[in-house]
Structures are given as C-alpha cells and as structure tokens.
C-alpha cells in the first residue's frame, strides 16, 4: 500500500519530464494564427505560456502549440479610430498595460489597478488574454475589465470579428475553446464627454475574494455604476448598481444598502472555500460598501 500511494504521488507531481513532444507553430500574423488553430486538431494558443506550461507539467498534452509571441501588433495598446475606446492587444503584457502612456492618459485607474497584478517576473511575461482565458477564479483581469464594460474581439475556425462582453465570457468560454477561439484584442470603452469615470478595486483578500467598482459621474451625480466580485465563481459576478441619478452626497449614505443589495443577487459561490459559510458574501458586501463610500467622499 505504501509503495502504491508513493507512486501515485510521483505520477501526479508537476514536472517538466511530463511534457511530451508537441508541434510548435509560430504564426507571424493573426491570419496565420487563425489558420493554424483551425487546421491543427487539438492545437492550443500560447501567449506568455505561464499557465499553458504549468498545465503541461501537470499532464496536459496538446499535440500542437500556436505561439502568439511573434504575431505582429498583438500587443499594441492604442486609442480606437473613433476615439471612444482603448484597444488593448490580446498579447499585451501586464507590465505594458500598467505603464501604457495611452492608458495613463485616458484610463489611469485601470493602469494603476493593473500594476498590482502579480510580481514583476509574471508582469513581464503574462498577457491580458492569457490572464482572462486561463479561466482561473483568482485571476484579476476579468474583474477589472468587466467593471469597465470591456469587450473581447475574437475569431474562431468558422467566424471572424466576433465581439463578446468580458462580463459574459464565462458562459461562452467552453464553446470559444471548442471552436478554436483566438482572442485578438480587448476594447475598453471611454466615458462620454463630460463624464468622469472612477475604477476602485480591493484585492486585499485575493484570490479568495476581490471587489471592483466602476462609477461614471457627471454634475455631482451618478450616471452609471457597476460592481464586480471575483474569486467566488469560475467567472466574476457583475452587477449594475441601481444608483443612476443619485447625488454623490446621497450615495455615501446609501453605501451599505446598495452593497448588500448587489451581493444578495450573487449566485452561491461555486469555488470551494474552507472557511465559515457565507463569509465571502458578508465580506464582499463590506468591501463594496467601503469602495462606494470612498468614491462618494
Ligand atoms: C507566481 C504567480 C503569481 C500570479 N499572481 C497573479 C495575480 O496577483 N493576479 C492575477 O490576476 N494573476 C496572477 N497570476 C496569473 C498570471 O497573470 C497569468 O498566469 C498570466 O496572465 C497568464 O498569461 P500568459 O500569457 O502566460 O497565458 P498562457 O499560459 O500563454 O495562456 C493561458 C490560457 O489562455 C489561452 N490564450 C492565451 N492567449 C490567447 C489568445 N490570444 N487567444 C486564445 N487563447 C489564448 C491559452 O490557450 C491558455 O488556455 C500569477 C501567476 C503566477 C505564476
């Protein structure tokens, strides 16, 4: 019995030696990448490779990897031609997002929140799409991008130029991968003229829980507000807050009720938790209320 349990431990241990041979494909542009993902059965996209390689060390064995690092322009961060959004290339690395002049000029809160992701080694290697598409409940990209109302532009083996709201991607993820999905860029909308946008974020309990709040204001009142709770489900829970038209001064007084109302709508967490039942819901409400008061102050 002793020998059996030892060998099963060795068999499940993460190791480079578990990585079998695979075909490495190096597309130079998105067309080539799309074609390779469509043609090669079981092919998998690889950006920075952090999650892909770790999963291969755990036993995942894709027959072919499509390495996106050499795809022209896949890491570009720029203002959209209509100047109504920032386009973030799927292959933009975390460090580039945090230090992008374009983001610092147009959506500085996003750059500042993104700067807190991981350590410098991971920020220099990991990409925006890799963070989203790893589908890990503790990762933060989907929380921040959902709060900002971002969308993802992608293609599959049978379609091109599809767009999906990041907040809805969790429901579509399985079909995205089955159809050989390739993320091309993220589109983060800018606030309309005359509106100020704030993004606040609490990651103090990550990866168990993280809470983001995005509020657009004009003339001292709320135009729209959105809260996102990450860590409890495969994909973050997003909730529009019913505070449009509320004066910022009044919002402060309503913070607790608004936060509790939002968290009540959250489905029961599906990510296993070793602590007290309902702890995450209770704390999510406290953190969200704090963020609302901070914006209203
Ligand atoms: C030590 C450590 C600390 C970390 N800390 C944090 C943290 O604090 N916060 C946080 O949010 N994250 C954290 N992470 C996670 C990190 O951000 C992700 O591992 C990283 O972003 C993955 O990016 P990648 O480019 O390496 O993805 P990859 O490993 O290349 O890909 C991941 C998945 O995305 C798919 N994919 C990638 N790009 C595309 C594309 N363009 N189209 C289709 N599919 C694609 C791949 O097929 C794969 O399924 C941490 C990771 C480590 C190892």
């Amino acid at each position: 019995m002793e020998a059996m349990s030892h060998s099963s431990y060795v068999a499940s241990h993460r190791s480079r030696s578990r990585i079998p041979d695979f075909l490495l494909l190096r597309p130079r542009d998105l067309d080539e990448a799309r074609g390779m993902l469509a043609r090669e059965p079981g092919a998998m996209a690889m950006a920075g490779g952090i999650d892909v390689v770790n999963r291969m060390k755990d036993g995942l064995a894709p027959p072919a990897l499509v390495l996106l690092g050499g795809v022209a322009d896949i890491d570009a961060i720029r203002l959209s031609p209509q100047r109504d959004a920032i386009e973030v290339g799927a292959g933009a690395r975390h460090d580039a997002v945090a230090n992008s002049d374009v983001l610092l000029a147009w959506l500085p809160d996003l750059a500042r929140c993104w700067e807190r992701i991981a350590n410098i080694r991971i920020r220099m290697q990991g990409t925006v799409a890799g963070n989203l598409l790893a589908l890990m409940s503790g990762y933060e990209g989907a929380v921040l991008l959902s709060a900002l109302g971002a969308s993802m532009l992608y293609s599959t083996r049978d379609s091109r130029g599809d767009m999906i709201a990041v907040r809805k991607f969790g429901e579509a993820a399985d079909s995205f991968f089955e159809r050989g999905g390739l993320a091309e860029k993220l589109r983060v909308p800018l606030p309309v003229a005359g509106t100020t946008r704030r993004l606040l974020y609490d990651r103090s309990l990550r990866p168990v829980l993280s809470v983001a709040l995005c509020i657009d204001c004009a003339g001292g009142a709320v135009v729209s507000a959105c809260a996102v709770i990450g860590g409890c489900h495969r994909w973050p829970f997003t909730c529009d807050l019913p505070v449009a038209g509320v004066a910022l001064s009044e919002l402060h007084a309503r913070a607790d009720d608004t936060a509790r109302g939002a968290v009540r709508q959250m489905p029961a967490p599906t990510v296993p938790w070793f602590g007290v039942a309902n702890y995450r819901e209770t704390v999510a409400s406290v953190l969200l209320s704090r963020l609302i008061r901070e914006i209203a102050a």
Side-chain angles (χ1 to χ4, degrees):
M1 284 303 285
E2 185 65 32
M4 270 179 67
S5 58
H6 177 70
S7 64
S8 63
Y9 167 73
V10 170
S12 64
H13 188 66
R14 180 178 281 178
S15 163
R16 279 195 198 123
S17 64
R18 301 190 72 197
I19 300 183
D21 288 349
F22 57 87
L23 185 65
L24 185 65
L25 300 166
R26 295 171 177 273
R28 285 158 303 177
D29 56 35
L30 284 168
D31 275 343
E32 276 188 12
R34 270 185 224 112
M36 288 167 176
L37 282 168
R39 266 194 318 274
E40 289 296 330
M44 189 173 185
M46 180 164 97
I50 299 171
D51 287 81
V52 170
V53 172
N54 277 339
R55 288 173 195 182
M56 289 173 80
K57 288 179 187 169
D58 281 335
L60 178 77
L65 289 180
V66 178
L67 185 61
L68 301 175
V71 168
D73 236 20
I74 199 167
D75 56 354
I77 301 176
R78 55 168 78 104
L79 192 57
S80 68
Q82 298 77 18
R83 301 175 72 82
D84 60 350
I86 304 296
E87 297 176 346
V88 178
R93 299 189 189 272
H94 300 319
D95 187 67
V97 173
N99 291 300
S100 154
D101 290 341
V102 178
L103 279 174
L104 285 165
W106 292 87
L107 284 173
D109 284 353
L110 176 59
R112 287 188 201 113
C113 290
W114 214 275
E115 191 182 34
R116 290 144 76 189
I117 288 183
N119 58 44
I120 186 64
R121 187 177 66 80
I122 300 298
R123 286 203 297 277
M124 296 302 289
Q125 186 177 345
T127 63
V128 173
N131 185 283
L132 293 177
L133 300 173
L135 300 182
M136 296 294 284
S137 63
Y139 289 5
E140 301 166 85
V143 177
L144 296 169
L145 291 168
S146 295
L148 286 165
S151 305
M152 186 174 83
L153 180 80
Y154 68 98
S155 55
T156 65
R157 68 174 68 90
D158 38 40
S159 68
R160 267 186 186 201
D162 293 339
M163 190 79 107
I164 185 165
V166 171
R167 62 153 75 183
K168 293 194 182 295
F169 183 75
E171 302 151 28
D174 294 337
S175 133
F176 172 88
F177 287 112
E178 276 157 23
R179 293 160 62 215
L182 175 68
E184 300 184 0
K185 61 175 118 165
L186 281 305
R187 187 177 191 282
V188 191
L190 291 171
V192 295
T195 304
T196 311
R197 175 162 300 166
R198 291 296 318 279
L199 172 69
L200 267 75
Y201 183 46
D202 191 316
R203 68 192 293 277
S204 53
L205 291 176
R206 186 203 159 263
V208 169
L209 184 68
S210 57
V211 181
L213 171 67
C214 180
I215 292 199
D216 282 0
C217 297
V222 178
V223 175
S224 64
C226 172
V228 183
I229 299 171
C232 302
H233 308 90
R234 180 168 87 147
W235 200 251
F237 166 71
T238 301
C239 177
D240 293 317
L241 304 180
V243 289
V246 173
L248 284 176
S249 48
E250 201 188 326
L251 187 65
H252 196 278
R254 288 202 199 181
D256 283 347
D257 285 348
T258 306
R260 272 197 293 267
V263 174
R264 256 199 304 272
Q265 293 177 49
M266 181 171 83
T270 50
V271 174
W273 159 249
F274 53 84
V276 182
N278 295 326
Y279 175 82
R280 286 175 290 186
E281 291 90 325
T282 308
V283 176
S285 168
V286 172
L287 298 183
L288 179 56
S289 172
R290 249 192 233 161
L291 295 180
I292 295 172
R293 275 183 272 129
E294 196 177 329
I295 281 192

